[in-house]
Amino acid sequence: MHTLIFATNNQNKVNEIQSLVGSDFKIIPQKEAGIDIDIPEPHDTLQENAYEKAITIFNITNQNCFSEDTGLEINALNGEPGVKSARYAGEGRDFQANIDKVLINLDSLENRTAQFRTVICLLWKGTNGMETYYFEGICKGHISNEMHGEKGFGYDPIFIPEGASKSFAEMSIEEKNTFSHRQKAVTQLFEFLRSR
Ligand code: IMP
């Protein structure tokens, strides 16, 4: 059984990933590991931010850990909000303000295609020291004209994945996981760990 600390304070991410874990892994959210800090995300790429979160927790715990950073990339907005998804409408990290800004910016635009992209950084204690691995998951879809649904978090109420006719916020965690960026990245992480 592999035990891994998950470097996040986002309970929604924890819930989505916990629902994918089999009995062969134990995922410990950073808070349960006794770490109550908010790790900054100062970089220009998801990969660098994911590394920053993971290395901060690794340096404190010296245990195998992983983190993930996710962005919503909207084609007509040149990939915005992207790496700035959490703070698109300001430092308050307000989900509703972020959604409002997306809907306003897309108002006169026809192309509403977008994708969520998740990058996971795994820091693994190998025989010759710490090893770093990355896993990526992409979910393509489009931005709806208005909000639908109450579930999920972040941009879920305005994102409709390809192959679905409802938003992520209208889906259970299990249904969201059949489409999601996070599930695709985590599945690769678990496959890698099973091969260790
Ligand atoms: P983070 O920097 O990876 O924590 O995520 C950046 C922001 O992207 C979050 O604050 C959410 O607004 C948004 N986000 C991340 N993952 C999802 C998701 O699965 N659905 C909807 N929004 C998400």
Side-chain angles (χ1 to χ4, degrees):
M1 152 108 83
H2 291 307
T3 300
L4 285 171
I5 299 178
F6 183 14
T8 187
N9 282 321
N10 184 327
Q11 190 57 40
N12 294 286
K13 291 183 179 179
V14 172
N15 293 344
E16 287 181 18
I17 289 181
Q18 292 283 21
S19 85
L20 294 164
V21 180
S23 54
D24 45 351
F25 299 111
K26 187 160 186 226
I27 304 293
I28 305 176
Q30 83 177 51
K31 215 171 197 165
E32 277 176 39
I35 304 161
D36 198 6
I37 54 172
D38 202 14
I39 304 166
E41 300 174 346
H43 301 291
D44 291 334
T45 64
L46 298 175
Q47 184 162 331
E48 288 170 292
N49 281 336
Y51 179 79
E52 177 92 24
K53 290 185 264 191
I55 193 68
T56 302
I57 298 303
F58 188 89
N59 285 337
I60 294 171
T61 62
N62 196 31
Q63 288 186 48
N64 294 328
C65 67
F66 74 100
S67 72
E68 66 100 278
D69 204 42
T70 296
L72 174 63
E73 300 171 336
I74 300 174
N75 293 319
L77 303 180
N78 298 318
E80 280 190 8
V83 71
K84 303 285 176 229
S85 290
R87 296 175 175 80
Y88 192 41
E91 284 305 310
R93 292 198 260 182
D94 181 327
F95 289 158
Q96 186 63 54
N98 288 339
I99 285 177
D100 290 345
K101 185 168 176 184
V102 165
L103 292 179
I104 288 167
N105 285 347
L106 279 181
D107 194 31
S108 55
L109 304 177
E110 213 157 271
N111 178 5
R112 302 184 75 89
T113 57
Q115 65 180 26
F116 272 113
R117 192 159 63 88
T118 291
V119 174
I120 286 178
C121 174
L122 168 68
L123 297 181
W124 184 259
K125 288 171 74 174
T127 40
N128 295 317
M130 188 191 83
E131 297 167 8
T132 308
Y133 301 95
Y134 293 97
F135 307 92
E136 184 182 83
I138 288 174
C139 176
K140 291 182 184 290
H142 72 273
I143 305 298
S144 54
N145 290 317
E146 52 200 36
M147 293 172 63
H148 298 283
E150 310 277 320
K151 302 189 187 88
F153 70 105
Y155 299 93
D156 279 349
I158 55 167
F159 186 83
I160 301 177
E162 263 179 16
S165 53
K166 56 185 175 182
S167 79
F168 271 159
E170 294 175 292
M171 299 181 186
S172 64
I173 284 182
E174 290 72 23
E175 193 176 5
K176 179 178 173 183
N177 275 340
T178 64
F179 298 97
S180 95
H181 42 297
R182 185 162 297 105
Q183 172 273 123
K184 288 175 185 160
V186 167
T187 299
Q188 290 175 51
L189 167 70
F190 290 167
E191 275 169 14
F192 172 82
L193 291 172
R194 285 191 183 102
S195 72
R196 299 297 290 189

